[in-house]
Every structure is written in structure tokens, then in C-alpha cells.
């Protein structure tokens, strides 16, 4: 029932443009042409049936569902809106052409994002300068990974292999993973266990929990099942040789100086869970010269990190940039004040990774990313 309203809205988005296009432009066309026009809508209902029978774990139904929305529903909607606007402004010819052109471009971008864009990770190198960073940590490197959603990469594990190779080639002092390693079940980790164990850095690999890692979106929604799956997931991460920080920290030393890597459990705004305990996570770090916080949801930075702590650098993920970015614009800016890249408040900084995966195998512009951060002392 909770998905009833979105399905009704999507059905309207599909059916109304189809009705308009059929009545306005295909009235005299053959039955076969009209059937072809309505075929994506038929496939949409077919995918709904697949999701109802197999849930979110019906990989083929999930792919078909979003392929129809991205490649057909939205281009048709774009064309319909511009065509109706053209009628209103008596510019129907020009706006029909503009709508058709933009619709085709949107379809092309969507097709590329679903077939190629989600499979090709890129490396971003970022230099961050801090007044409080001890000189002994000048040049300290952190590879930041986030939001793999490994169940989505099950048909194409080579992409995760590429990311791991790129992360290892960076020869980092530390590697951090800021949550959402799965879509909803620890089962997703199985095919990737061997390759994930090869991720290495001088001071270790550190990870935290994202909202998906609490296994609330899997097929077993019982409290017992969720609790069991969380435990399995946490033990599997530790079995890779990673240090999973559950409101905990790890101290790294260079001579007499100390850098604290602090990890909190997920702390998001509703409906996302809030399990972070910053006080507990920072226990024992009062003498640290520099603090790096791993917190999955970037909204945590302004809500709690800035007002309640002296943490220098926060690393987050979660937003995915909604997996779409063109010329620096992403629709995620309407949902998040900090959604991708570097944000600063005085000498304190937040870096948001737009991640790699998602429940949907799609990326355009917001390509899968491996971020190599180099810390610099600006004394």
C-alpha cells in the first residue's frame, strides 16, 4: 500500500502523455503504430507485476521499471508539456520541434547512463588545506569510497574491481568507505568478498554504516530478520580486514602527532535512521591534533557536527547526486544543501562523495567516483 500513490502518479505520467500524443499526432496511424506508442506503458505494468511478485530483489523487473521511466515516460512528458505550452502561446510548431529534440536527447542520455555510464569509474584528486593540520601529516592521503550498493553491480562486478584497483593504485595512507555497501541484504556481499578483501592502505581501511546497511529494504522486514542481517553484514565487513567504526574511532600517529578517524552510525533526517552518538564516537580523541569524521548523511554536518564538535574534516556520501549531473547541476540540490563535492565553514570542511552505485543501474554525469584526498598543512 505504501507504493500505491507513487504508482498512481507514475501511471498518470505515462498514460496522459500517451493519450495526448495518440489523439493529437497518431489519430490516423495504423493500429501497429499506436501499439508501438503504448508499448512502454504496457511494459511498465509488466514490471510492476514483477516487482509485486518478487519485491525489490527482482532485478529484471527493477531494471525494466526504471528503463521505461527514464527512456520513455520522461521524454514523452517533456514533449507533451512543451507541445501544450506551444498551443497556449500559439508556437506549436516551434515548441513541438523543441520538445521532440529535447525528448530524444533525454532518451539518449538515459540510454547511455543505463548501459555505459554506471560502469566507468573516475578518479578525482582533491587537495585540502587546514591551519590545524600538524606538519607531520602534511601530504597525508585518504581514498574516499562510498555508496557501492553492490546488489546492483552483481551483473557487472568488473566495475567494483576497477574501483578497488584504482583505490589501491592511489597508494593511500587510509581508505574510507562512507556507507551503503548493499541495497538491502548481506547476501549481496557474497560474490564480492574476495575482491573486497584486497583493498589495502598503510593505516587501514575504515568503514561506517549507511541507511541501506541496516537491511530495512531487504525481503525480510521482521525485526528478527533485520537484526540478524545487520549482524551478518557487520561481520562480513570485518572479515575483509576493514575496521568498521560503530560510533567508534581509530587513532593514527606520526611521531608525536595524532590524527583521529571517527566513525558514526547513520544519522539522517526522517525517514532515514538516526543512530549516531558523536560523544561516544569521539571518546578518547581529546588529545588528537586533527579529526576526520565519517558520517554517511551530509545533513549531519550542519545539524550536529558544526555546532557540537571541533571536527576538522567530515566525509559523507548518501546523495548520489541523484546519479545525474550536467554542467555542475544536479536535481539533488533541491533536496540537499550539501550534495556533492567540497563545502567549507571557516577552516572546517565537508566533502560529499556522489558515490558509485544505487538501487538503479544508472549514472549520467555523476559518474562512479574514487576520490583521493591529500591533506596539507597551511601553517
Amino acid at each position: 500500500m505504501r507504493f500505491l500513490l507513487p504508482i498512481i502518479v507514475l501511471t498518470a505520467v505515462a498514460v496522459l502523455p500517451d493519450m495526448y500524443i495518440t489523439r493529437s499526432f497518431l489519430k490516423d496511424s495504423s493500429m501497429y503504430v499506436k501499439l508501438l506508442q503504448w508499448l512502454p506503458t504496457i511494459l511498465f505494468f509488466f514490471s510492476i507485476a514483477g516487482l509485486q511478485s518478487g519485491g525489490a530483489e527482482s532485478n529484471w523487473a527493477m531494471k525494466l521499471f526504471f528503463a521505461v521511466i527514464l527512456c520513455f515516460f520522461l521524454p514523452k512528458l517533456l514533449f507533451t508539456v512543451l507541445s501544450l505550452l506551444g498551443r497556449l502561446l500559439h508556437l506549436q510548431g516551434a515548441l513541438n520541434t523543441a520538445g521532440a529534440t529535447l525528448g530524444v536527447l533525454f532518451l539518449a542520455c538515459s540510454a547511455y547512463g543505463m548501459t555505459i555510464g554506471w560502469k566507468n569509474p573516475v578518479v578525482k584528486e582533491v587537495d585540502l588545506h587546514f591551519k590545524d593540520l600538524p606538519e607531520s601529516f602534511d601530504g597525508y592521503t585518504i581514498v574516499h569510497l562510498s555508496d557501492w550498493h553492490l546488489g546492483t553491480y552483481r551483473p557487472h562486478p568488473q566495475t567494483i574491481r576497477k574501483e578497488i584497483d584504482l583505490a589501491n593504485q592511489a597508494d593511500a595512507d587510509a581508505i574510507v568507505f562512507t556507507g551503503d555497501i548493499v541495497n538491502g541484504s548481506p547476501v549481496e556481499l557474497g560474490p564480492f568478498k574476495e575482491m573486497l578483501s584486497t583493498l589495502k592502505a598503510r593505516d587501514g581501511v575504515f568503514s561506517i554504516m549507511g541507511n541501506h546497511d541496516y537491511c530495512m529494504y531487504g525481503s525480510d522486514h521482521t525485526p528478527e530478520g533485520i537484526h540478524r542481517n545487520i549482524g551478518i553484514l557487520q561481520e562480513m565487513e570485518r572479515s575483509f580486514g576493514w575496521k568498521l567504526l560503530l560510533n567508534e574511532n581509530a587513532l593514527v600517529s606520526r611521531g608525536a602527532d595524532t590524527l583521529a578517524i571517527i566513525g558514526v552510525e547513520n544519522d539522517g533526517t526522517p525517514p532515514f535512521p538516526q543512530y549516531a552518538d558523536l560523544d561516544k564516537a569521539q571518546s578518547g580523541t581529546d588529545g588528537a591534533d586533527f579529526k576526520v569524521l565519517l558520517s554517511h548523511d551530509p545533513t549531519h554536518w550542519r545539524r550536529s557536527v558544526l555546532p557540537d564538535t571541533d571536527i576538522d574534516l567530515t566525509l559523507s556520501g548518501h546523495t548520489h547526486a541523484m546519479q545525474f549531473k550536467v554542467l555542475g547541476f544536479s536535481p539533488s540540490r533541491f533536496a540537499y544543501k550539501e550534495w556533492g563535492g567540497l563545502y567549507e565553514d571557516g577552516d572546517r570542511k565537508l566533502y560529499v562523495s556522489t558515490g558509485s552505485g544505487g538501487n538503479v543501474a544508472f549514472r549520467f554525469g555523476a559518474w562512479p567516483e574514487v576520490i583521493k584526498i591529500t591533506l596539507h598543512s597551511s601553517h
Side-chain angles (χ1 to χ4, degrees):
M1 290 297 293
R2 60 177 173 162
F3 298 117
L4 183 59
L5 182 58
I7 289 173
I8 291 173
V9 172
L10 285 171
T11 300
V13 168
V15 171
L16 294 178
D18 274 343
M19 290 176 62
Y20 172 76
I21 292 169
T22 301
R23 289 173 61 88
S24 300
F25 303 98
L26 303 177
K27 187 163 48 177
D28 299 323
S29 298
S30 70
M31 179 185 67
Y32 299 105
V33 172
K34 291 177 181 176
L35 180 62
L36 187 64
Q37 155 71 15
W38 283 85
L39 181 59
T41 302
I42 296 170
L43 292 175
F44 168 73
F45 288 112
F46 185 60
S47 71
I48 291 290
L51 288 172
Q52 288 294 320
S53 62
E57 295 176 2
S58 298
N59 203 35
W60 68 267
M62 184 72 75
K63 284 184 176 180
L64 180 60
F65 178 80
F66 283 101
V68 169
I69 291 172
L70 291 170
C71 295
F72 297 100
F73 284 11
L74 293 179
K76 285 181 182 180
L77 179 63
L78 182 60
F79 170 79
T80 299
V81 168
L82 287 176
S83 180
L84 288 171
L85 185 62
R87 288 192 173 196
L88 182 65
L89 300 176
H90 304 291
L91 295 170
Q92 192 171 9
L95 289 183
N96 279 350
T97 301
T101 302
L102 290 174
V104 170
L105 285 173
F106 196 100
L107 186 154
C109 291
S110 297
Y112 182 88
M114 295 196 77
T115 57
I116 299 173
W118 65 288
K119 299 176 182 177
N120 294 303
V122 299
V123 176
K124 291 184 179 178
E125 297 199 8
V126 179
D127 292 289
L128 299 181
H129 297 262
F130 296 89
K131 294 176 183 176
D132 294 336
L133 182 72
E135 290 187 4
S136 59
F137 281 97
D138 187 71
Y140 193 85
T141 54
I142 302 172
V143 165
H144 182 192
L145 305 168
S146 196
D147 297 87
W148 270 340
H149 293 267
L150 289 176
T152 303
Y153 280 106
R154 186 168 49 197
H156 203 273
Q158 302 95 311
T159 301
I160 301 302
R161 177 76 267 174
K162 285 181 191 175
E163 288 208 23
I164 291 172
D165 289 343
L166 290 170
N168 285 336
Q169 288 165 17
D171 191 30
D173 292 296
I175 295 175
V176 301
F177 184 85
T178 52
D180 279 4
I181 196 168
V182 297
N183 288 328
S185 170
V187 173
E188 299 169 39
L189 292 172
F192 300 90
K193 184 175 180 179
E194 186 175 334
M195 68 173 72
L196 292 175
S197 298
T198 66
L199 201 59
K200 303 294 180 185
R202 277 181 289 279
D203 293 322
V205 179
F206 305 89
S207 64
I208 57 170
M209 303 276 283
N211 55 292
H212 280 261
D213 299 325
Y214 293 94
C215 303
M216 297 179 294
Y217 313 117
S219 56
D220 189 345
H221 297 108
T222 66
E224 297 80 11
I226 290 172
H227 180 74
R228 180 177 60 254
N229 284 330
I230 291 173
I232 294 171
L233 184 144
Q234 291 175 348
E235 285 307 307
M236 289 186 74
E237 283 198 37
R238 294 186 181 105
S239 75
F240 305 152
W242 298 9
K243 173 64 175 176
L244 177 61
L245 299 174
L246 302 174
N247 294 321
E248 299 170 284
N249 64 78
L251 301 178
V252 176
S253 297
R254 293 290 187 271
D257 300 317
T258 303
L259 178 147
I261 299 177
I262 303 164
V264 291
E265 295 198 55
N266 192 79
D267 194 300
T269 55
F272 301 114
Q274 294 184 324
Y275 299 130
D277 187 332
L278 273 170
D279 290 337
K280 180 182 176 184
Q282 294 184 90
S283 178
T285 66
D286 289 342
D289 301 285
F290 190 86
K291 297 179 182 179
V292 178
L293 173 68
L294 313 182
S295 182
H296 179 67
D297 193 316
T299 64
H300 191 209
W301 189 57
R302 288 200 182 276
R303 283 187 290 107
S304 301
V305 178
L306 285 179
D308 299 334
T309 77
D310 60 351
I311 288 167
D312 302 282
L313 172 63
T314 301
L315 302 178
S316 299
H318 184 59
T319 73
H320 303 194
M322 292 190 179
Q323 295 166 225
F324 181 85
K325 184 171 69 173
V326 175
L327 301 176
F329 169 80
S330 166
S332 59
R333 68 170 59 243
F334 299 121
Y336 296 95
K337 186 176 180 66
E338 291 87 20
W339 56 269
L342 178 65
Y343 302 89
E344 300 181 88
D345 188 291
D347 197 41
R348 303 171 71 188
K349 296 175 175 59
L350 164 71
Y351 197 95
V352 182
S353 168
T354 55
S356 299
N359 285 82
V360 185
F362 169 83
R363 288 260 169 177
F364 189 87
W367 313 119
E369 61 183 25
V370 175
I371 303 164
K372 182 180 180 180
I373 296 172
T374 304
L375 305 181
H376 297 282
S377 175
S378 57
H379 289 173

